[in-house]
Each structure stands twice: as structure tokens, then as C-alpha cells.
Amino acid sequence: LAEGAAADGGRTTVIALPDSFRVDNARLQRQLGRQLPTVPVFGAGATDDGTLGISLQIGMEGVRSGTIATLGLYGELQRAVGITQSCTAVGEPHFITQAREYVLVELDGRPALHTFIDQGRALGLEDMQRAAQELLFGFPLDSERPSFVGESCLVRPLAGFDQGTHGLVIPYPMDTNTTVGFMHRNPANAELDVRRMVGYLEEQLDGPPDFGFYFDCAARGTGLYGRGGVDLNAIHGHFGPFPLLGMFGGFELATTHGAAHVYTYTGVLVLLRAP
């Protein structure tokens, strides 16, 4: 892929489908940055329905597991990319004043757990189990100008509690003096955000797309909206019928802000138009 991208003069797009269960997301992101630093990469983590923990990848070498399948698209293709979030920012952003590896210890000088409980109560989430499912964390990619819309932030779930520090375990490497915001899973706002995304993408293309890819988080779809076809109806309702390939995934990949990132709880729409 790297050789093909070099020969293509920077016109390459890579679709990547790694194994959700056996691929280290952080390592994958670093490798993509080193090996394909100038090539846009999009895709999703291949997954089953969560009951078996097995995913298979199909490529030129056959059917494998614990691997990554890739597809390189070469040539003159106009590309427009949009990312829609399942969550909406709530409350004011907070400064991380103390963190240890994957444990968020303090927000604004207070125990992170106390701030989490307060935000949950403000949303009417008195039950901790429900709060842990609906209240997530948004880490803006630009800490100086934090934004929590679309591709501007990475959302991560609450993975557990640290009793010794009253901290929160979050699968994301955190640094002090950076910003984090609480994100609330909200189907009504998620549906509005899909429509925002397709409207934005229409402005990026010179005409209707010839084909595209849509990588949707497995936590979206019917599980989010309570009904099926919401995202597809928004996409085809806006652009009309066109070939669209995609899948539900365990996570999503997208190159934004000059680097490949691992997104979660998002839908990544890649539209392509040939001259």
C-alpha cells in the first residue's frame, strides 16, 4: 500500500478492516502514522455480534483472524469525509488536573468520581449503572480550541472505578492540563447530527457521489434509535440512490486533523466522486 501510494502521487485512499478483538488500537494508530503518514485511512474494526468474540478478515492471502484487511483506491477521486457522533456534549468542559495512566483522578481539582456523579444527577441519571452506559467522555483533538462535534473529538466509555483515588478508569491515555467533556448518548440529537453531516458533505463535492463507504458503530443503529435505517435514510434521502458499502464495527478509523484516529460511537461516511 505504501509503495502504491508513493507511485500514485498522493491520490490514494486506504480502507482498513482490522480485527476488533485482537488488534491493539493504540499500536494500530501508531503504525498507520508511521507507515502511511500522508495517506488517508478509513474503516472499522471487524466484529461479530459480541457473543463469540471472533472476527474474520478476507484478503489475497485467504481467510484469517487476528489480522487487518486493507483495500487501496488509487487515482483521481474527489473525496468528502464526515463523522457523526452518537453523543452530545453536556455541561462545561473540565480540566484534567490529575491522571495516572488510564485512571482519571481529578477534574478541576475535585475527585473525578464526584464530578461524574454530579453530571449524571444533572441529567436525571441517578442510577450509576445507567449513568455508566449513557454518560461518556469526549477528548478534543485540539486542546487549545476544544470542540465536541463531529470529527473534533474522540469519545471513550467508562471502563470502571478506582476505589483508592475515587477515580474513573477510561481506555484513553490522558495527560494533565488537557480538556475533557462529558458526552451524553442521545438518539434524538444523534439523528440531527447525521443530517448535519450529510448537509456538510454536500458542500464538499462538485456533484452527487459515485460511490461511498459507511462505517457505523455497533452501538448505533437500532440499539441507539429504537428503529432501523435511520442513518441510511438520511444519507440516501439527501444524495439519492448511489452504491454504498459498509458495516457495523467495534470501532471506526478515520484520518482527520492530519492523522489516523480510532473513533468510537460514531458513523464515518466516505463519499467518492470520479472526475
Side-chain angles (χ1 to χ4, degrees):
L1 285 174
E3 293 175 359
D8 193 49
R11 298 175 297 174
T12 300
T13 300
V14 170
I15 304 299
L17 308 175
D19 185 327
S20 282
F21 302 106
R22 294 173 179 83
V23 171
D24 184 321
N25 292 348
R27 184 181 178 189
L28 172 63
Q29 185 169 308
R30 290 194 299 269
Q31 284 187 317
L32 290 173
R34 286 196 300 264
Q35 298 181 17
L36 298 171
T38 61
V39 179
V41 179
F42 307 97
T47 181
D48 63 6
D49 63 1
T51 59
L52 297 177
I54 297 173
S55 89
L56 301 176
Q57 295 74 55
I58 302 175
M60 299 294 289
E61 297 81 6
V63 180
R64 303 286 180 86
S65 182
T67 62
I68 176 171
T70 54
L71 168 68
L73 304 174
Y74 304 98
E76 292 288 351
L77 288 171
Q78 186 183 15
R79 181 182 60 247
V81 180
I83 297 179
T84 181
Q85 297 278 359
S86 304
C87 316
T88 305
V90 291
E92 294 295 326
H94 300 273
F95 283 105
I96 299 174
T97 48
Q98 186 177 347
R100 186 180 69 247
E101 295 181 343
Y102 294 100
V103 178
L104 178 57
V105 179
E106 286 185 358
L107 290 172
D108 305 318
R110 294 184 64 210
L113 176 59
H114 296 176
T115 306
F116 177 84
I117 292 173
D118 289 346
Q119 184 61 71
R121 287 173 175 168
L123 295 171
L125 304 175
E126 300 287 345
D127 179 76
M128 282 296 292
Q129 184 175 0
R130 184 183 170 197
Q133 293 174 345
E134 295 187 24
L135 195 55
L136 310 173
F137 303 86
F139 297 91
L141 293 176
D142 186 347
S143 59
E144 295 184 359
R145 298 181 180 85
S147 174
F148 300 90
V149 178
E151 72 280 358
S152 299
C153 81
L154 304 179
V155 175
R156 296 294 185 264
L158 176 66
F161 301 98
D162 184 71
Q163 295 183 352
T165 63
H166 288 192
L168 308 173
V169 181
I170 304 170
Y172 186 81
M174 292 167 283
D175 296 320
T176 56
N177 300 320
T178 57
T179 305
V180 63
F182 286 108
M183 308 288 288
H184 184 220
R185 290 192 71 212
N186 186 309
N189 286 337
E191 189 168 350
L192 290 175
D193 196 60
V194 171
R195 301 186 185 282
R196 173 204 62 81
M197 176 185 69
V198 295
Y200 163 78
L201 290 181
E202 184 179 36
E203 300 174 357
Q204 309 306 308
L205 292 175
D206 295 333
D210 289 312
F211 67 102
F213 298 90
Y214 188 52
F215 303 105
D216 207 11
C217 179
R220 291 171 57 88
T222 304
L224 174 66
Y225 299 113
R227 66 190 196 281
V230 173
D231 289 6
L232 289 180
N233 290 338
I235 295 168
H236 286 299
H238 200 90
F239 292 105
F242 68 96
L244 182 65
L245 301 175
M247 68 180 202
F248 286 107
F251 57 83
E252 301 75 63
L253 291 171
T255 295
T256 63
H257 294 259
H261 295 286
V262 175
Y263 286 85
T264 58
Y265 301 96
T266 61
V268 176
L269 179 60
V270 183
L271 301 180
L272 297 148
R273 177 177 169 83

